[in-house]
């Protein structure tokens, strides 16, 4: 793997929870003395802090030797080769040894990289300011691949609401971060959009004056760029991601024709690949991964006919399987007015938010049926499911909706752990409240990396 010598420094607007001001952190063109000053005064994370971090993480119940012994398959061998590439680039030999030139002095390179992978990714922009070596490491994306190997995942929530551009929320640090403004045209800004988080990228699908377009926000560069277009551009499709890949299926083309085709996106390669067609065309559908397979449910196969069947795609056999009566179609309102099914996967279980009854339902894989498990904390029936986000965030279900109160409109993030057996487990927890954000959630995606 070739690491980039020049990595565009992040320029982030970070709004801390409970803070009244927005702090702009500009890291571009920093001199080493300025970096040191920033690192000590702004991030409050010194070289001694890094050593303390190493001691803390090594004292956790994490057996790094077991991690090393597990690096045997092909992808793990690639991780080892990338570690060697880091050493070669920095003029080091290939022996694993403790060195003052290590990322964490006194520790060998492999252990230091494992520790950095276990650290909170909210600190990565600050780490990139230490020196060029850290800057190259953070910008290469290597730590995120290593995190995936170690099973380290942090979920951030990305939102676009009526009165603000895209913002990210870190549930661990309880911090909002404003993304740079998307350099799209006015048509894309005002038109309906769909979003999807895959790997370290946030994809936003919409329509520009010239046709369908996809804008991509990279967690590595902290900037927007154009994503390569699909082989058959579309909208109103079902989609979901699994690690560094994502699948989109169905939807409508530029002429309004309902599609049965599907495509796979690889975020590491930045390319699209056509998949076999589904059994039925459908738009306004939803997609998700469960048991290592991709599913599509709901939607319409014509301008008036709804679909109750689902489809399962096996990535190994490349075959679609039709599942009759997988999704209960609501009879309330015209089908074209309803949002796509609001679905989420938590602990490999499928949940749905019913737009007509305001209930959370759980899918029974064996009996192909649904049962009510909870009431929604907000009403979904008033807008036929639009303006409401229903997502999985780690082992929690996440419901994000707008509220109008005496102090104005706010967006409230509600969470619930389906496996929580505590006495008050039936209550939704308020994860965060975003003020002055309107009351309509246009787009939402959860990125886990």
């Amino acid at each position: 793997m070739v690491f980039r010598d020049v990595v565009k420094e992040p320029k982030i607007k970070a709004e801390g929870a409970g803070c009244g001001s927005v702090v702009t952190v500009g890291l571009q063109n920093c001199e080493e003395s300025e970096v040191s000053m920033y690192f000590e005064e702004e991030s409050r994370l010194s070289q001694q802090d890094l050593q303390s971090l190493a001691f803390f993480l090594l004292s956790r119940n994490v057996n790094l030797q077991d991690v090393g012994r597990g690096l045997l398959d092909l992808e793990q061998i690639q991780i080892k080769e990338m570690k060697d590439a880091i050493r070669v680039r920095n003029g080091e030999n290939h022996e694993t040894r403790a060195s003052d030139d290590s990322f964490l002095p006194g520790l060998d390179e492999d252990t230091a990289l494992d520790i950095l992978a276990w650290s909170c990714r909210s600190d990565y922009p600050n780490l990139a300011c230490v020196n060029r070596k850290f800057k190259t490491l953070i910008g290469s994306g290597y730590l995120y691949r290593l995190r995936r190997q170690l099973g380290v995942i942090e979920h951030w929530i990305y939102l676009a609401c009526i009165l603000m551009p895209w913002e990210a929320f870190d549930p661990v640090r309880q911090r909002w971060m404003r993304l740079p403004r998307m350099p799209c045209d006015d048509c894309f800004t005002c038109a309906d959009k769909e979003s999807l988080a895959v790997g370290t990228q946030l994809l936003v699908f919409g329509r520009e004056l010239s046709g369908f377009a996809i804008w991509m926000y990279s967690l590595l560069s902290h900037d927007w760029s154009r994503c390569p277009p699909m082989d058959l551009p579309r909208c109103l499709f079902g989609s979901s991601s699994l690690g560094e890949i994502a699948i989109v299926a169905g939807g409508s083309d530029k002429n309004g024709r309902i599609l049965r085709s599907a495509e796979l996106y690889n975020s590491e390669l930045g390319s699209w690949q056509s998949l076999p067609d589904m059994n039925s065309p459908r738009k306004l559908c939803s997609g998700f991964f469960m048991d290592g397979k991709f599913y599509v449910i709901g939607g319409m196969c014509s301008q008036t006919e709804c679909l109750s069947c689902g489809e399962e795609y096996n990535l190994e056999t490349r075959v679609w399987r039709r599942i009759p009566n997988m999704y209960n179609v609501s009879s309330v309102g015209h089908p074209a007015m309803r949002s796509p099914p609001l679905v989420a996967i938590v602990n490999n279980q499928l949940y749905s938010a019913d737009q007509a009854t305001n209930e959370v339902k759980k899918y029974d894989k064996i009996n192909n049926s649904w049962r009510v498990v909870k009431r929604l904390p907000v009403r979904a029936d008033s807008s036929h499911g639009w303006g409401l986000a229903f997502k999985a965030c780690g082992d929690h279900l996440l419901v994000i909706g707008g509220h109008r109160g005496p102090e104005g409109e706010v967006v409230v993030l509600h969470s619930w752990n389906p496996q929580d057996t505590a006495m008050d487990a039936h209550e939704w927890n308020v994860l965060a409240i975003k003020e002055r954000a309107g009351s309509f959630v246009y787009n939402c995606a959860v990125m886990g990396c």
Side-chain angles (χ1 to χ4, degrees), residues 254-270:
K254 63 180 181 180
N255 298 316
R257 180 170 61 97
I258 302 177
L259 306 174
R260 67 174 72 228
S261 62
E263 299 186 36
L264 182 147
Y265 175 71
N266 188 311
S267 62
E268 303 246 329
L269 301 177

Side-chain angles (χ1 to χ4, degrees), residues 21-35:
S21 61
V22 177
V23 180
T24 302
V25 183
L27 308 181
Q28 198 169 9
N29 300 323
C30 287
E31 298 294 334
E32 280 196 56
S33 59
E34 295 173 336
V35 168

